[in-house]
Amino acid sequence: MEPEGSDAIAGSLRRARSAQRAWRAFPVRDRLRILRRFRGILAMDAEVLCRSVSLPNRTPKDTIAAEILPLADACRYLERNTERILGPRRERYRNRPRRLGAVTVEVHREPRGVILIIGPRSYPLFLPGVQTLQALAAGNAVLWKPASGGFQIARRCARLLEEAGLPCDLLQILPEAPEAARTAIRGGVDLVVLTGSTETGRLVLYQAAETLTPAVMELGGCDAVFVREDADIGLVVRALMFGLRFNGGATCIAPRRVFAARGCYSAVCRGLADAASELHSIVVESRVRSRVVGLARAALAGGARLLHGNLEAENGPGMTPIILADARPEMELLQSDLFAPVLCLVPVDDDDQALAAADMCPYALGAAVFGKREGAESLARHLNVGCVVVNDLIVPTADPRVPFAPRRRSGFGVTRGPEGLLEMTVVKSIATRERGPRRHLDPPGPQDLRIMRSLLEMSHGPTLGRRIRAGFRFAASVVRRLRGK
């Protein structure tokens, strides 16, 4: 049965594809002028945009800091760097195999076509907004499918882009219902970019597989924080408290697991217990709250201890942030994707034990490391995650230079940063023969096998002597071929 509105969505897809054919021919500089105008309009429209966000635990200041300002930063980054990132690359001539003669190679990046961007509820403007700007800058058209509650701000953003000069029909805002995404995928988009839960990712991938549509998946997380013995404990406590408060815990890269060296573990626990009094009740969906409380109780039964929080039934939609100490990495609470303010502390002997404990979790979105720079960066390089922040938390990932590349159950592909822009394109290679013989076009001859064998050894033989002797055999075989023997 076709979902309601499927004809309208199919029409949106047709109009977007028609508009994209003209848009891809636009010079990149002309596209970027539109983005520059959009950035200025965005800055002046912040108050209206804030009113379009309907999220609990959010103030207008939070929306500006978490969504509008980083979106404007990303826009400016595109203005300054898109031409360089997407420009054609000419391969160095000296790297060519000599047997191919005078062949030049150029690599071009071309737009994919129509991109379906499926946004999350937690950040309805920033995350799909950056992806939309990158897709447009690369020459694509966009179907933006907002999450529940995100339609108004998506539509407002689209109107600001039109006001800045974006051609009509190039950006289409779809309904919030999941059926809208299914209909668009079935209609034949060229790329799906999803930011959402792991379960949503499975469903979308199943649908995309039916049409062999490529996809970029930024899914759930259960991020780890590593606290080395030489870390600034005051900074660690401030950062973890921020992670519990920020966006009401509804952030995919919020801290969930803390692996602290035994030398500083007690100090981290004491610091969090003392600071927890500043935490207030946070609005969390009832089903999420029930799951968190159930998993926390199971962790307590398994030997963890409660540092802060209330595991009894709470009246209203609020939830007191939960902090557990002495947790173990194999506990289900430490292996779950939870959009709620919960933190679990695990003591570790050293970096190796911390790495092994962290790898027990199937999610690999991001991580943070606290400690003196040299050791912290060394540990960061060994982490099996897509993005690591050293001596800070969450906010540096909004830097427009930072690509986000989840791993394992957290997804795949790249969003944001230069690599995220490249993800919105496909590769075209152009190899041009300039001059020289084209012996491969001639009919086969009796000397061909001998020529190929000597050419292979002459080019790649293990010793200089072997290569020289093969060179003589190669020359002799070519001479025989030229003489017709």
Side-chain angles (χ1 to χ4, degrees), residues 260-323:
R262 292 190 186 276
C264 64
Y265 179 76
S266 295
V268 174
C269 290
R270 286 195 304 271
L272 285 172
D274 292 341
S277 59
E278 72 180 57
L279 293 172
H280 302 292
S281 179
I282 293 171
V283 177
V284 176
E285 291 183 34
S286 59
R287 62 178 182 83
V288 176
R289 180 175 52 186
S290 297
R291 183 166 181 243
V292 170
V293 169
L295 293 175
R297 285 176 176 164
L300 291 176
R305 60 189 174 92
L306 185 65
L307 278 184
H308 181 79
N310 181 8
L311 301 187
E312 302 302 323
E314 299 186 48
N315 294 324
M319 170 183 168
T320 303
I322 296 172
I323 306 176

Side-chain angles (χ1 to χ4, degrees), residues 134-151:
Q134 288 185 321
L136 294 172
N140 300 285
V142 173
L143 303 182
W144 178 342
K145 207 293 287 182
S148 175
F151 181 80

Side-chain angles (χ1 to χ4, degrees), residues 34-370:
I34 293 173
L35 295 194
R36 188 175 299 113
R37 289 194 292 270
F38 165 74
R39 179 164 57 90
I41 297 170
L42 178 72
M44 303 307 297
D45 198 65
E47 186 175 341
V48 176
L49 286 167
C50 287
R51 290 199 298 269
S52 301
V53 176
S54 56
L55 288 175
N57 310 307
R58 272 283 187 93
T59 66
K61 177 191 79 68
D62 294 334
T63 296
I64 292 174
E67 305 230 46
I68 300 175
L69 186 56
L71 180 61
D73 290 338
C75 189
R76 181 167 57 190
Y77 181 83
L78 288 170
E79 295 164 26
R80 294 175 174 176
N81 296 281
T82 295
E83 287 187 285
R84 172 183 59 83
I85 295 169
L86 298 185
R89 184 183 82 247
R90 190 180 181 95
E91 287 294 321
R92 302 180 71 174
Y93 192 68
R94 67 181 181 86
N95 289 333
R96 80 194 192 287
R98 293 185 179 178
R99 65 185 177 84
L100 296 182
V103 174
T104 62
V105 174
E106 278 193 353
V107 180
H108 296 258
R109 310 295 306 210
E110 297 185 345
R112 289 180 179 267
V114 179
I115 297 180
L116 172 63
I117 294 176
I118 306 174
R121 175 171 169 76
S122 55
Y123 294 91
L125 175 63
F126 171 52
L127 296 181
V130 172
Q131 295 157 5
T132 294
L133 293 181
Q134 288 185 321
L136 294 172
N140 300 285
V142 173
L143 303 182
W144 178 342
K145 207 293 287 182
S148 175
F151 181 80
Q152 293 299 326
I153 196 165
R155 185 170 63 177
R156 184 65 188 175
C157 186
R159 287 177 177 172
L160 298 184
L161 279 162
E162 290 178 4
E163 186 179 337
L166 189 72
C168 183
D169 295 331
L170 201 58
L171 171 58
Q172 305 274 340
I173 308 300
L174 302 185
E176 296 175 359
E179 289 81 1
R182 287 195 285 269
T183 301
I185 294 171
R186 196 160 48 243
V189 295
D190 300 295
L191 176 70
V192 178
V193 181
L194 167 69
T195 306
S197 70
T198 301
E199 185 56 36
T200 300
R202 288 193 185 98
L203 295 173
V204 171
L205 276 176
Y206 180 80
Q207 296 152 18
E210 293 181 342
T211 52
L212 295 178
T213 304
V216 174
M217 299 275 125
E218 184 180 321
L219 307 178
C222 185
D223 274 20
V225 176
F226 299 82
V227 183
R228 307 184 80 244
E229 283 198 27
D230 56 5
D232 180 339
I233 302 303
L235 174 62
V236 171
V237 171
R238 286 174 58 207
L240 293 175
M241 296 298 289
F242 167 76
L244 284 170
R245 295 190 311 266
F246 189 70
N247 207 41
T251 299
C252 55
I253 54 171
R256 300 285 182 250
R257 302 170 291 149
V258 181
F259 300 100
R262 292 190 186 276
C264 64
Y265 179 76
S266 295
V268 174
C269 290
R270 286 195 304 271
L272 285 172
D274 292 341
S277 59
E278 72 180 57
L279 293 172
H280 302 292
S281 179
I282 293 171
V283 177
V284 176
E285 291 183 34
S286 59
R287 62 178 182 83
V288 176
R289 180 175 52 186
S290 297
R291 183 166 181 243
V292 170
V293 169
L295 293 175
R297 285 176 176 164
L300 291 176
R305 60 189 174 92
L306 185 65
L307 278 184
H308 181 79
N310 181 8
L311 301 187
E312 302 302 323
E314 299 186 48
N315 294 324
M319 170 183 168
T320 303
I322 296 172
I323 306 176
L324 299 183
D326 301 343
R328 297 196 310 276
E330 66 269 20
M331 291 176 171
E332 188 177 354
L333 181 61
L334 284 77
Q335 300 197 21
S336 300
D337 171 21
L338 301 170
F339 253 41
V342 56
L343 198 63
C344 300
L345 284 78
V346 181
V348 293
D349 293 330
D350 51 32
D351 287 351
D352 289 338
Q353 188 181 32
L355 287 168
D359 282 345
M360 295 178 69
C361 178
Y363 296 95
L365 191 57
V369 181
F370 288 85

